Amino acid sequence: MKKKRILLKIGSNTLTKETNNLSRGKIEDIANQIQKLQDTHEFIIVSSGAIAVAKQFVKLESQREEVFVKQALASIGQPHLIRIYQEIFREYGLLSSQCLLSYSDFEKQESKTNIVNTINVLVNNNYIPIINENDTVATDEIKFGDNDKLGALTASLLNVDLFIIATNTNGIYTKESMENGAPKTIKEVIDFDALRAQVVNSKSTHGSGGMESKIEAATVAKAANIETWIVNGLEDDFMLNAMEDKVAFTKISCKVSKTL
């Protein structure tokens, strides 16, 4: 049986559980879910968190622009982030590897072919690629999107079956319910124009992406005929519960909306 391929994108707020420290418990939760699903699913992870990890260890002093300080922090934090993933995943019998990508990699055919071939070899040998942007040389994701767009581009390139964005809300809420202070999840989306009208943009604490960047990411995925789920990654078993429809989350369909 062919396994269903999932690209899981995890933002900084999810990995820190909205604190100032990386949550080992959250990575354990992810590993536990992957272990339970590994007979029927294969995983590729796009993970933020390098800067958040570095901030636990160091405080850099610099007169330079903030973006250069963040690049330096990413350089310090990335090896720690991968080490923590590898340690925890190993405890669950899972193998993992690091892949650093830049947006320019998606603009060159040779680079795209190399990404696909390398990741397919890893996945076929039961390694879980853990992808982050190469923040030391690229600044786009530091400024915009907390890896949402990187996740969508990677999902499209690798032709995954499902793109899951783990965030800190129960999916996308209706604008009216947000204004009333009682958030209500939009369960399924087919019409993107109607969805954009609902979005109240907000930046996350550690990440640089609000809900708007997640919708842009879902637009990229939809163009590649990939369904996107926006799920509350702060909860335990968030993927398992979403698959069993036990929790509220937003499903952004790759179906074409019907015009009347």
Side-chain angles (χ1 to χ4, degrees):
M1 186 186 75
K2 186 175 182 290
K3 291 184 179 182
K4 191 171 185 179
R5 180 173 283 195
I6 292 179
L7 189 136
L8 170 64
K9 182 266 161 180
I10 312 160
S12 304
N13 263 22
T14 306
L15 276 180
T16 59
K17 292 186 88 169
E18 299 191 305
T19 68
N20 290 321
N21 295 305
L22 187 81
S23 167
R24 292 183 74 97
K26 180 43 59 185
I27 296 179
E28 285 170 6
D29 172 49
I30 292 162
N32 181 46
Q33 292 179 78
I34 291 174
Q35 184 194 47
K36 288 176 179 172
L37 292 165
Q38 65 182 342
D39 289 342
T40 50
H41 296 74
E42 57 190 30
F43 284 85
I44 296 148
I45 295 174
V46 170
S47 175
S48 303
I51 293 171
V53 173
K55 284 179 177 175
Q56 291 175 223
F57 299 104
V58 295
K59 182 166 174 31
L60 294 184
E61 299 296 333
S62 177
Q63 302 300 314
R64 295 183 178 274
E65 288 178 45
E66 187 188 11
V67 69
F68 297 121
V69 175
K70 285 186 172 178
Q71 283 178 301
L73 286 169
S75 172
I76 294 164
Q78 184 65 29
H80 288 289
L81 179 66
I82 289 298
R83 177 178 53 78
I84 294 164
Y85 266 113
Q86 288 187 318
E87 283 173 4
I88 292 171
F89 276 33
R90 199 180 298 122
E91 289 169 15
Y92 285 82
L94 303 173
L95 301 167
S96 55
S97 67
Q98 171 180 266
C99 299
L100 294 177
L101 301 179
S102 300
Y103 274 125
S104 58
D105 293 328
F106 294 89
E107 293 165 4
K108 302 176 203 143
Q109 189 54 51
E110 187 180 2
S111 299
K112 289 198 291 187
T113 303
N114 288 342
I115 292 166
V116 172
N117 290 339
T118 302
I119 289 178
N120 281 339
V121 169
L122 288 166
V123 171
N124 291 340
N125 284 277
N126 299 315
Y127 276 80
I128 299 163
I130 298 171
I131 299 167
N132 199 351
E133 197 191 9
N134 191 355
D135 286 331
T136 310
V137 297
T139 60
D140 290 352
E141 282 296 282
I142 283 179
K143 292 177 183 172
F144 313 109
D146 196 32
N147 276 341
D148 293 326
K149 190 177 176 188
L150 184 70
L153 288 170
T154 308
S156 304
L157 186 61
L158 297 170
N159 196 27
V160 305
D161 297 296
L162 179 62
F163 177 33
I164 298 178
I165 300 177
T167 186
N168 58 348
T169 61
N170 297 329
I172 303 170
Y173 300 135
T174 65
K175 197 170 187 176
E176 185 183 15
S177 72
M178 290 287 283
E179 287 163 359
N180 293 342
K184 186 181 174 196
T185 301
I186 300 170
K187 292 193 172 170
E188 185 164 14
V189 174
I190 294 174
D191 185 340
F192 266 83
D193 292 333
L195 177 64
R196 283 196 179 91
Q198 292 288 342
V199 172
V200 179
N201 196 33
S202 58
K203 296 287 186 201
S204 51
T205 314
H206 288 285
S208 48
M211 203 49 76
E212 205 169 274
S213 79
K214 286 161 184 52
I215 290 169
E216 290 307 318
T219 307
V220 171
K222 183 174 179 176
N225 210 31
I226 296 166
E227 184 165 278
T228 300
W229 291 4
I230 299 178
V231 181
N232 191 339
L234 298 177
E235 304 292 334
D236 287 343
D237 292 331
F238 60 93
M239 288 188 289
L240 296 171
N241 287 336
M243 287 174 184
E244 293 171 17
D245 220 14
K246 290 180 177 176
V247 288
F249 70 99
T250 299
K251 186 182 290 185
I252 300 177
S253 176
C254 55
K255 298 172 198 161
V256 178
S257 56
K258 294 188 177 97
T259 48
L260 297 174

Short mmCIF file of all heavy atoms in Angstrom, two decimals, residues 62-96:
data_model
loop_
_atom_site.label_atom_id
_atom_site.label_comp_id
_atom_site.label_asym_id
_atom_site.label_seq_id
_atom_site.Cartn_x
_atom_site.Cartn_y
_atom_site.Cartn_z
N SER A 62 24.71 43.94 19.02
CA SER A 62 25.13 44.41 17.71
C SER A 62 24.49 45.75 17.40
O SER A 62 23.36 46.02 17.79
CB SER A 62 24.73 43.39 16.63
OG SER A 62 25.06 43.88 15.36
N GLN A 63 25.24 46.57 16.69
CA GLN A 63 24.71 47.86 16.22
C GLN A 63 24.04 47.68 14.85
O GLN A 63 23.47 48.62 14.32
CB GLN A 63 25.86 48.89 16.10
CG GLN A 63 26.62 49.13 17.40
CD GLN A 63 25.71 49.64 18.50
OE1 GLN A 63 24.91 50.54 18.27
NE2 GLN A 63 25.83 49.06 19.69
N ARG A 64 24.14 46.50 14.31
CA ARG A 64 23.60 46.28 12.96
C ARG A 64 22.08 46.11 12.99
O ARG A 64 21.48 45.98 14.05
CB ARG A 64 24.25 45.03 12.33
CG ARG A 64 25.74 45.21 12.10
CD ARG A 64 26.35 43.99 11.43
NE ARG A 64 27.76 44.20 11.17
CZ ARG A 64 28.25 44.80 10.10
NH1 ARG A 64 27.42 45.28 9.18
NH2 ARG A 64 29.55 44.96 9.93
N GLU A 65 21.51 46.08 11.79
CA GLU A 65 20.06 45.92 11.69
C GLU A 65 19.62 44.62 12.37
O GLU A 65 20.36 43.63 12.39
CB GLU A 65 19.64 45.86 10.21
CG GLU A 65 19.74 47.18 9.48
CD GLU A 65 19.35 46.99 8.01
OE1 GLU A 65 18.33 46.32 7.75
OE2 GLU A 65 20.08 47.50 7.16
N GLU A 66 18.38 44.63 12.85
CA GLU A 66 17.86 43.48 13.59
C GLU A 66 17.91 42.20 12.76
O GLU A 66 18.16 41.11 13.28
CB GLU A 66 16.42 43.76 14.03
CG GLU A 66 15.88 42.68 14.95
CD GLU A 66 14.39 42.84 15.24
OE1 GLU A 66 13.73 43.67 14.58
OE2 GLU A 66 13.91 42.12 16.12
N VAL A 67 17.69 42.32 11.45
CA VAL A 67 17.66 41.13 10.61
C VAL A 67 19.00 40.39 10.63
O VAL A 67 19.04 39.15 10.61
CB VAL A 67 17.23 41.47 9.15
CG1 VAL A 67 18.29 42.28 8.42
CG2 VAL A 67 16.91 40.19 8.37
N PHE A 68 20.12 41.13 10.73
CA PHE A 68 21.43 40.47 10.78
C PHE A 68 21.63 39.75 12.11
O PHE A 68 22.26 38.68 12.16
CB PHE A 68 22.55 41.48 10.55
CG PHE A 68 22.50 42.13 9.18
CD1 PHE A 68 22.39 43.50 9.05
CD2 PHE A 68 22.55 41.34 8.04
CE1 PHE A 68 22.34 44.09 7.79
CE2 PHE A 68 22.50 41.92 6.77
CZ PHE A 68 22.38 43.30 6.65
N VAL A 69 21.11 40.34 13.17
CA VAL A 69 21.18 39.68 14.48
C VAL A 69 20.36 38.39 14.44
O VAL A 69 20.80 37.34 14.94
CB VAL A 69 20.66 40.63 15.59
CG1 VAL A 69 20.62 39.91 16.94
CG2 VAL A 69 21.54 41.88 15.68
N LYS A 70 19.19 38.45 13.81
CA LYS A 70 18.35 37.25 13.72
C LYS A 70 19.02 36.17 12.87
O LYS A 70 18.93 34.98 13.17
CB LYS A 70 16.98 37.61 13.14
CG LYS A 70 16.09 38.33 14.14
CD LYS A 70 14.71 38.55 13.60
CE LYS A 70 13.80 39.10 14.69
NZ LYS A 70 12.44 39.38 14.18
N GLN A 71 19.72 36.59 11.81
CA GLN A 71 20.45 35.62 11.00
C GLN A 71 21.53 34.94 11.84
O GLN A 71 21.73 33.72 11.75
CB GLN A 71 21.08 36.30 9.78
CG GLN A 71 20.07 36.60 8.68
CD GLN A 71 20.70 37.32 7.51
OE1 GLN A 71 21.26 38.39 7.66
NE2 GLN A 71 20.63 36.72 6.35
N ALA A 72 22.23 35.73 12.64
CA ALA A 72 23.28 35.17 13.51
C ALA A 72 22.67 34.22 14.54
O ALA A 72 23.21 33.14 14.81
CB ALA A 72 24.04 36.30 14.20
N LEU A 73 21.53 34.61 15.11
CA LEU A 73 20.84 33.73 16.07
C LEU A 73 20.41 32.43 15.41
O LEU A 73 20.52 31.35 16.01
CB LEU A 73 19.62 34.46 16.66
CG LEU A 73 19.89 35.56 17.68
CD1 LEU A 73 18.63 36.36 17.95
CD2 LEU A 73 20.43 34.96 18.98
N ALA A 74 19.93 32.51 14.17
CA ALA A 74 19.52 31.30 13.45
C ALA A 74 20.71 30.37 13.27
O ALA A 74 20.58 29.15 13.41
CB ALA A 74 18.93 31.68 12.08
N SER A 75 21.87 30.95 12.99
CA SER A 75 23.08 30.16 12.81
C SER A 75 23.46 29.41 14.10
O SER A 75 23.90 28.26 14.06
CB SER A 75 24.23 31.08 12.38
OG SER A 75 25.44 30.40 12.36
N ILE A 76 23.26 30.07 15.23
CA ILE A 76 23.57 29.45 16.54
C ILE A 76 22.51 28.41 16.90
O ILE A 76 22.81 27.32 17.39
CB ILE A 76 23.64 30.53 17.64
CG1 ILE A 76 24.83 31.47 17.38
CG2 ILE A 76 23.73 29.91 19.03
CD1 ILE A 76 24.77 32.78 18.16
N GLY A 77 21.25 28.74 16.63
CA GLY A 77 20.14 27.88 17.08
C GLY A 77 19.88 26.66 16.24
O GLY A 77 19.42 25.63 16.76
N GLN A 78 20.18 26.72 14.94
CA GLN A 78 19.83 25.61 14.04
C GLN A 78 20.44 24.27 14.46
O GLN A 78 19.73 23.26 14.52
CB GLN A 78 20.21 25.97 12.60
CG GLN A 78 19.79 24.93 11.56
CD GLN A 78 18.28 24.77 11.44
OE1 GLN A 78 17.52 25.69 11.68
NE2 GLN A 78 17.85 23.57 11.07
N PRO A 79 21.75 24.20 14.77
CA PRO A 79 22.30 22.90 15.18
C PRO A 79 21.65 22.36 16.46
O PRO A 79 21.43 21.16 16.59
CB PRO A 79 23.80 23.20 15.43
CG PRO A 79 24.06 24.48 14.70
CD PRO A 79 22.79 25.24 14.71
N HIS A 80 21.33 23.27 17.41
CA HIS A 80 20.66 22.85 18.64
C HIS A 80 19.27 22.28 18.32
O HIS A 80 18.86 21.26 18.87
CB HIS A 80 20.51 24.03 19.61
CG HIS A 80 21.81 24.45 20.25
ND1 HIS A 80 22.45 23.69 21.20
CD2 HIS A 80 22.57 25.56 20.07
CE1 HIS A 80 23.56 24.30 21.58
NE2 HIS A 80 23.65 25.43 20.90
N LEU A 81 18.55 22.98 17.43
CA LEU A 81 17.20 22.56 17.07
C LEU A 81 17.21 21.15 16.47
O LEU A 81 16.43 20.28 16.88
CB LEU A 81 16.60 23.56 16.06
CG LEU A 81 15.19 23.26 15.55
CD1 LEU A 81 14.17 23.36 16.68
CD2 LEU A 81 14.81 24.21 14.41
N ILE A 82 18.11 20.92 15.53
CA ILE A 82 18.19 19.61 14.89
C ILE A 82 18.63 18.54 15.88
O ILE A 82 18.11 17.41 15.87
CB ILE A 82 19.14 19.67 13.67
CG1 ILE A 82 18.48 20.48 12.53
CG2 ILE A 82 19.49 18.26 13.17
CD1 ILE A 82 17.18 19.88 11.99
N ARG A 83 19.56 18.87 16.76
CA ARG A 83 20.02 17.90 17.76
C ARG A 83 18.86 17.45 18.65
O ARG A 83 18.70 16.26 18.94
CB ARG A 83 21.13 18.52 18.62
CG ARG A 83 21.62 17.61 19.75
CD ARG A 83 22.74 18.26 20.53
NE ARG A 83 22.42 19.59 21.02
CZ ARG A 83 21.66 19.85 22.09
NH1 ARG A 83 21.13 18.87 22.78
NH2 ARG A 83 21.43 21.10 22.46
N ILE A 84 18.02 18.40 19.05
CA ILE A 84 16.87 18.07 19.92
C ILE A 84 15.89 17.18 19.16
O ILE A 84 15.39 16.18 19.70
CB ILE A 84 16.19 19.36 20.43
CG1 ILE A 84 17.16 20.11 21.37
CG2 ILE A 84 14.89 19.04 21.16
CD1 ILE A 84 16.77 21.55 21.64
N TYR A 85 15.60 17.54 17.91
CA TYR A 85 14.73 16.68 17.08
C TYR A 85 15.31 15.26 17.00
O TYR A 85 14.60 14.27 17.21
CB TYR A 85 14.61 17.24 15.66
CG TYR A 85 13.42 18.13 15.42
CD1 TYR A 85 13.58 19.49 15.16
CD2 TYR A 85 12.13 17.61 15.41
CE1 TYR A 85 12.49 20.33 14.91
CE2 TYR A 85 11.03 18.43 15.16
CZ TYR A 85 11.21 19.78 14.91
OH TYR A 85 10.12 20.57 14.67
N GLN A 86 16.60 15.16 16.68
CA GLN A 86 17.21 13.84 16.48
C GLN A 86 17.19 13.01 17.76
O GLN A 86 16.89 11.82 17.73
CB GLN A 86 18.64 13.99 15.94
CG GLN A 86 18.64 14.46 14.49
CD GLN A 86 20.01 14.46 13.86
OE1 GLN A 86 20.98 14.87 14.48
NE2 GLN A 86 20.10 14.04 12.61
N GLU A 87 17.50 13.65 18.88
CA GLU A 87 17.50 12.94 20.17
C GLU A 87 16.11 12.37 20.48
O GLU A 87 15.95 11.20 20.84
CB GLU A 87 17.91 13.88 21.31
CG GLU A 87 19.40 14.17 21.38
CD GLU A 87 19.71 15.24 22.42
OE1 GLU A 87 18.78 15.69 23.13
OE2 GLU A 87 20.89 15.63 22.52
N ILE A 88 15.10 13.23 20.36
CA ILE A 88 13.74 12.82 20.72
C ILE A 88 13.18 11.82 19.72
O ILE A 88 12.59 10.80 20.11
CB ILE A 88 12.83 14.06 20.87
CG1 ILE A 88 13.28 14.88 22.09
CG2 ILE A 88 11.36 13.65 20.99
CD1 ILE A 88 12.62 16.23 22.23
N PHE A 89 13.37 12.08 18.44
CA PHE A 89 12.85 11.16 17.43
C PHE A 89 13.48 9.77 17.59
O PHE A 89 12.81 8.76 17.41
CB PHE A 89 13.11 11.71 16.02
CG PHE A 89 12.06 12.68 15.54
CD1 PHE A 89 11.40 13.52 16.42
CD2 PHE A 89 11.71 12.75 14.20
CE1 PHE A 89 10.41 14.41 15.98
CE2 PHE A 89 10.73 13.63 13.74
CZ PHE A 89 10.08 14.46 14.65
N ARG A 90 14.79 9.74 17.93
CA ARG A 90 15.47 8.46 18.10
C ARG A 90 14.81 7.63 19.21
O ARG A 90 14.70 6.41 19.12
CB ARG A 90 16.95 8.70 18.42
CG ARG A 90 17.84 7.48 18.17
CD ARG A 90 19.30 7.75 18.49
NE ARG A 90 19.86 8.79 17.67
CZ ARG A 90 20.42 9.92 18.15
NH1 ARG A 90 20.47 10.13 19.45
NH2 ARG A 90 20.92 10.82 17.35
N GLU A 91 14.35 8.32 20.26
CA GLU A 91 13.68 7.63 21.37
C GLU A 91 12.40 6.94 20.90
O GLU A 91 11.93 5.98 21.51
CB GLU A 91 13.34 8.62 22.49
CG GLU A 91 14.56 9.12 23.27
CD GLU A 91 14.23 10.30 24.18
OE1 GLU A 91 13.02 10.55 24.41
OE2 GLU A 91 15.17 10.97 24.63
N TYR A 92 11.82 7.45 19.82
CA TYR A 92 10.58 6.87 19.27
C TYR A 92 10.87 5.96 18.07
O TYR A 92 9.95 5.59 17.34
CB TYR A 92 9.61 7.99 18.88
CG TYR A 92 8.95 8.64 20.08
CD1 TYR A 92 9.61 9.64 20.79
CD2 TYR A 92 7.68 8.26 20.51
CE1 TYR A 92 9.04 10.24 21.91
CE2 TYR A 92 7.10 8.85 21.63
CZ TYR A 92 7.78 9.83 22.32
OH TYR A 92 7.19 10.42 23.43
N GLY A 93 12.16 5.66 17.88
CA GLY A 93 12.53 4.78 16.77
C GLY A 93 12.46 5.43 15.42
O GLY A 93 12.34 4.76 14.39
N LEU A 94 12.54 6.77 15.39
CA LEU A 94 12.43 7.52 14.13
C LEU A 94 13.78 8.10 13.74
O LEU A 94 14.54 8.59 14.58
CB LEU A 94 11.42 8.66 14.28
CG LEU A 94 10.00 8.28 14.71
CD1 LEU A 94 9.17 9.53 14.99
CD2 LEU A 94 9.32 7.41 13.67
N LEU A 95 14.08 8.04 12.44
CA LEU A 95 15.31 8.63 11.91
C LEU A 95 14.99 9.99 11.31
O LEU A 95 13.94 10.18 10.70
CB LEU A 95 15.89 7.71 10.82
CG LEU A 95 16.24 6.29 11.25
CD1 LEU A 95 16.48 5.42 10.03
CD2 LEU A 95 17.46 6.30 12.16
N SER A 96 15.91 10.95 11.46
CA SER A 96 15.65 12.28 10.92
C SER A 96 16.91 12.85 10.29
O SER A 96 18.03 12.42 10.57
CB SER A 96 15.14 13.22 12.01
OG SER A 96 16.04 13.24 13.10
#
